[in-house]
Amino acid sequence: MQQPVELLRDRLEHAFAIHTNRLNELTLRGSMTDPTTFEARVEAARRGIANTAQALRRMSEGTYGRCEACGTTIAWQRLEAVPHARHCSDCR
Ligand SMILES: [Zn+2]
């Protein structure tokens, strides 16, 4: 049975766009809240962009869904919950 990876690709692309918009907004508005909160938000957006971009790259390379630590196939339920997951539930 073929897994609907395309659904996850859509979700990842959507998440990537959201994180990118958020980072743009933060950068445009500058630090209006306290610097610690601002830095944390920028960092969260950057991490979100990196996570989703890496997952999309793994999809195009054909390594998506494989645990980077033990090489096992990551459970579908885990990928559905965390589409950018790089490790199986045992290795995370
Ligand atoms: Zn593993």
Side-chain angles (χ1 to χ4, degrees):
M1 190 183 89
Q2 184 132 24
Q3 302 284 20
V5 172
E6 291 304 317
L7 287 176
L8 293 188
R9 190 198 299 272
D10 284 350
R11 278 176 57 190
L12 283 165
E13 279 169 354
H14 186 64
F16 182 81
I18 286 173
H19 290 305
T20 305
N21 286 342
R22 199 167 293 153
L23 185 60
N24 285 342
E25 265 172 37
L26 284 164
T27 313
L28 281 175
R29 270 184 306 167
S31 181
M32 281 171 59
T33 49
D34 73 280
T36 315
T37 311
F38 180 75
E39 282 305 317
R41 284 181 183 163
V42 168
E43 180 54 31
R46 286 209 179 111
R47 201 176 326 123
I49 290 169
N51 284 341
T52 47
Q54 282 161 14
L56 287 166
R57 198 180 59 216
R58 290 197 301 278
M59 274 186 179
S60 61
E61 286 172 348
T63 59
Y64 179 79
R66 202 180 304 153
C67 175
E68 287 185 2
C70 71
T72 193
T73 303
I74 301 173
W76 181 249
Q77 292 97 313
R78 173 150 166 74
L79 289 174
E80 256 189 333
V82 188
H84 65 260
R86 294 161 56 196
H87 297 108
C88 69
S89 4
D90 290 338
C91 299
R92 93 179 117 161

